[in-house]
Structure formats: C-alpha cells, structure tokens
Amino acid sequence: FDQEAPIENPPSKDQWNRFMNGQSDRSAQKQVKASAPICDLFPEATISFADIVGFTAWSSTREPSQVFSLLETIYRKFDRIANKMDVFKVETVGDCYVAVCGLPEK
C-alpha cells in the first residue's frame, strides 16, 4: 500500500454521496470503487475486538436483565482497564467490545 500514491480521477462529492446512499449509477460506482481507500495509516495502532464465545446461545436462554447485567459488569471492567492503559474504547456492539491504542493524539 503506497500511502503517497495520488488518486486518479477521484469521485466527486455528489457521486460519493449518491454511492453511499445507494442511488448511484454504474459509472459512479466504478469510480468510487476504483479510487484509493479513504483512510489514514497508523502503523503503531492496534485494534482489539473482544467477543464472548457462546454468548448468543447463552443469552437465548436467559432473561434480558441477566444478559444486561453480565454485559454491564464485563464492559465496566474493560472500561476501567482501558482508562488505566490509555486505550480508546471505540464502541460495543452486542457482546463485542471494540478498542484501539497507539493512535496519535490530535
């Protein structure tokens, strides 16, 4: 991946918006897909996805309050550790905890 490579024929803002909203024509789709990734590169960064094995099966046989209580307990502990270790919590989705470290501060 060449971080400095120029983007040839980048999509216009209108084409990008139509593409993102599923309203684009084929030429706009091709142009957006062919353009360089829209991202920044941080070689020192680490992304962590923590997922609970067997959670779906376990939670399907429990009361919602039990599921909530378990997730709240686990996420609270993860949050405490993240704060101590200077880790940024990105989000939680169901039983998945997403965090990142090593990003530059801006």
Side-chain angles (χ1 to χ4, degrees), residues 46-73:
T46 299
I47 301 173
S48 174
F49 298 88
D51 197 52
I52 302 171
V53 175
F55 177 80
T56 302
W58 178 86
S59 65
S60 68
T61 62
R62 301 299 191 274
E63 291 295 319
S65 60
Q66 289 176 293
V67 175
F68 178 80
S69 180
L70 173 74
L71 291 176
E72 183 179 34
T73 301

Side-chain angles (χ1 to χ4, degrees), residues 1-2 6-7 13 15 21-22 25-27 40 47-48 59 66-67 70-71 80 86-87 90-91 93 100:
F1 175 71
D2 184 357
I7 300 172
K13 184 175 181 178
Q15 287 174 318
N21 292 318
D25 56 32
R26 285 217 180 278
S27 64
D40 292 317
I47 301 173
S48 174
S59 65
Q66 289 176 293
V67 175
L70 173 74
L71 291 176
R80 278 191 223 121
D86 200 27
V87 172
V90 176
E91 67 181 354
V93 179
V100 65

Side-chain angles (χ1 to χ4, degrees), residues 25-39:
D25 56 32
R26 285 217 180 278
S27 64
Q29 290 174 357
K30 286 179 184 177
Q31 194 169 12
V32 169
K33 288 179 182 179
S35 64
I38 300 171
C39 63

Side-chain angles (χ1 to χ4, degrees), residues 82-102:
N83 286 335
K84 287 180 186 175
M85 304 298 291
D86 200 27
V87 172
F88 175 71
K89 174 176 135 181
V90 176
E91 67 181 354
T92 55
V93 179
D95 65 315
C96 185
Y97 188 98
V98 183
V100 65
C101 64

